[in-house]
Amino acid sequence: MAHPISAFQAAYISIEVLIALVSVPGNILVIWAVKMNQALRDATFCFIVSLAVADVAVGALVIPLAIIINIGPQTEFYTCLMVACPVLILTESSILALLAIAVDRYLRVKIPVRYKSMVTPRRAAVAIACCWMVSFLVGLTPMFGWNNLNKMQRTQELNGNQTEFVITCQFETVISMEYMVYFNFFVWVLPPLLLMLFIYLEVFNLIRKQLNKKVSSSSNDPQKYYGKELKIAKSLALVLFLFALSWLPLHVLNCITLFCPSCQTPHILTYIAIFLTHGNSAMNPIVYAFRIKKFRTAFLQIWNQYFCCKTTKNATTTTTAKTCN
């Protein structure tokens, strides 16, 4: 029997549900905007769609599973492991999508003339598929054996407990901290984040060099191109910064858990770190809306066409505009 939900758990569940209610519609709106707006069909925005799909899954799948884990039901070991792994898959998918976006922005400013011939829709689709394949391999590694099953079985044998192996489902109960720190963080989270930092620094350096070079010339088109690239690069770098800000605290806590077992981490810090990781999925649509004009235009178009304007078969364009006003 599951124990009754405490007031603290009820507050936790309420916040998680609120995050999901913001994240899922917001990221569906991002996908919708790219689908309906031809101006959002280049490779960068395809990678943004991949990121949005992961964020939708966080709100629709990971958050409900996190609530289940927080309640702590009694389950079999591998059932609990299956509940814990999706967040690992989606985190890695987000990181690789951000890395693909960073590489794409670098190519746009490094080889603007050859960019369209090199970064084709087919190649972008292959890159996205590879990102998701790697994400599943990394996220499902605990299912292949790098987990706490042997440790828990040894503990049960030492305690002389011969009953059926059923556990209270918690993330740290089934997921190995060695996996989380040495493999997940030190191999698949931290290096890509550092690589993206260097890529964006190089992107900004290249753009500023081009802008300074064109200031003395009479050509306005390159100036306009690199000025637009600078604005988009700043917005996408902000997305990366928010991702790192949201996920690093939880990984730091995991490092403390592994390297200092005697250290007592306040539960409130753990919950704040979890809220940050889940809340990151709701941040990106807000950044796009305020920072990228193409998205803002598409969002307004969707709002006016599907939510604001109530047209009838006999309604004219003038009538529609008046209804919106």
Side-chain angles (χ1 to χ4, degrees):
M1 291 290 291
H3 55 77
I5 296 175
S6 65
F8 186 84
Q9 284 179 314
Y12 166 80
I13 293 170
S14 299
I15 294 172
E16 288 281 38
V17 169
L18 181 62
I19 293 171
L21 290 175
V22 174
S23 176
V24 173
N27 285 287
I28 288 175
L29 189 61
V30 170
I31 299 167
W32 192 354
V34 174
K35 184 178 184 299
M36 71 174 293
N37 195 328
Q38 287 292 127
L40 296 172
R41 294 290 178 85
D42 65 17
T44 299
F45 296 107
C46 291
F47 295 130
I48 287 176
V49 166
S50 179
L51 181 61
V53 168
D55 288 337
V56 168
V58 168
L61 177 63
V62 170
I63 288 179
L65 293 179
I67 291 172
I68 291 172
I69 286 180
N70 182 261
I71 294 172
Q74 298 291 310
T75 67
E76 294 181 352
F77 184 89
Y78 276 99
T79 301
C80 184
L81 200 58
M82 289 177 63
V83 172
C85 281
V87 68
L88 303 174
I89 297 169
L90 296 172
T91 303
E92 191 55 39
S93 173
S94 297
I95 291 170
L96 294 178
L98 289 169
L99 180 58
I101 289 169
V103 172
D104 178 72
R105 301 323 293 183
Y106 174 77
L107 293 175
R108 285 183 73 94
V109 299
K110 183 68 175 179
I111 51 168
V113 177
R114 291 185 293 133
Y115 170 80
K116 286 190 177 180
S117 63
M118 286 191 64
V119 185
T120 62
R122 181 182 177 84
R123 288 175 179 172
V126 169
I128 291 170
C130 289
C131 288
W132 278 98
M133 286 175 60
V134 171
S135 301
F136 272 94
L137 288 174
V138 173
L140 291 177
T141 297
M143 295 291 295
F144 303 144
W146 197 345
N147 54 53
N148 287 334
L149 178 60
N150 290 335
K151 182 168 44 175
M152 295 191 69
Q153 286 177 334
R154 285 195 301 270
T155 302
Q156 188 181 37
E157 289 172 2
L158 289 173
N159 293 335
N161 190 350
Q162 302 299 323
T163 59
E164 186 181 354
F165 192 58
V166 176
I167 63 169
T168 300
C169 186
Q170 298 288 337
F171 187 85
E172 291 184 15
T173 304
V174 293
I175 300 293
S176 165
M177 273 300 122
E178 286 82 3
Y179 161 82
M180 286 301 300
V181 174
Y182 292 126
F183 185 69
N184 189 277
F185 182 48
F186 287 166
V187 176
W188 291 104
V189 174
L190 191 57
L193 287 178
L194 293 175
L195 179 59
M196 283 184 269
L197 173 62
F198 287 121
I199 290 173
Y200 275 110
L201 289 175
E202 183 62 18
V203 166
F204 292 134
N205 184 45
L206 288 170
I207 291 174
R208 292 190 190 283
K209 281 183 179 178
Q210 292 297 328
L211 288 175
N212 290 335
K213 188 188 299 182
K214 300 301 178 184
V215 165
S216 59
S217 72
S218 59
S219 176
N220 290 325
D221 287 341
Q223 185 88 350
K224 184 178 179 181
Y225 175 82
Y226 286 105
K228 183 179 71 173
E229 287 299 318
L230 180 61
K231 288 180 181 178
I232 295 177
K234 284 181 177 179
S235 301
L236 296 173
L238 177 59
V239 171
L240 171 61
F241 172 76
L242 291 173
F243 182 90
L245 193 67
S246 299
W247 278 96
L248 286 178
L250 186 60
H251 283 289
V252 169
L253 291 177
N254 288 339
C255 290
I256 293 172
T257 300
L258 178 64
F259 298 128
C260 183
S262 61
C263 297
Q264 295 295 321
T265 305
H267 287 296
I268 188 65
L269 289 182
T270 303
Y271 278 105
I272 290 172
I274 291 171
F275 288 143
L276 282 173
T277 61
H278 294 166
N280 179 253
S281 298
M283 296 176 189
N284 293 342
I286 298 171
V287 173
Y288 303 149
F290 282 96
R291 300 278 306 181
I292 300 179
K293 186 178 179 181
K294 287 181 180 179
F295 267 117
R296 187 163 59 249
T297 302
F299 290 163
L300 288 173
Q301 184 182 350
I302 291 170
W303 172 257
N304 288 333
Q305 186 173 347
Y306 294 97
F307 299 101
C308 176
C309 302
K310 306 297 182 183
T311 59
T312 62
K313 291 182 180 179
N314 297 325
T316 63
T317 305
T318 306
T319 306
T320 302
K322 287 181 180 178
T323 306
C324 289
N325 294 332

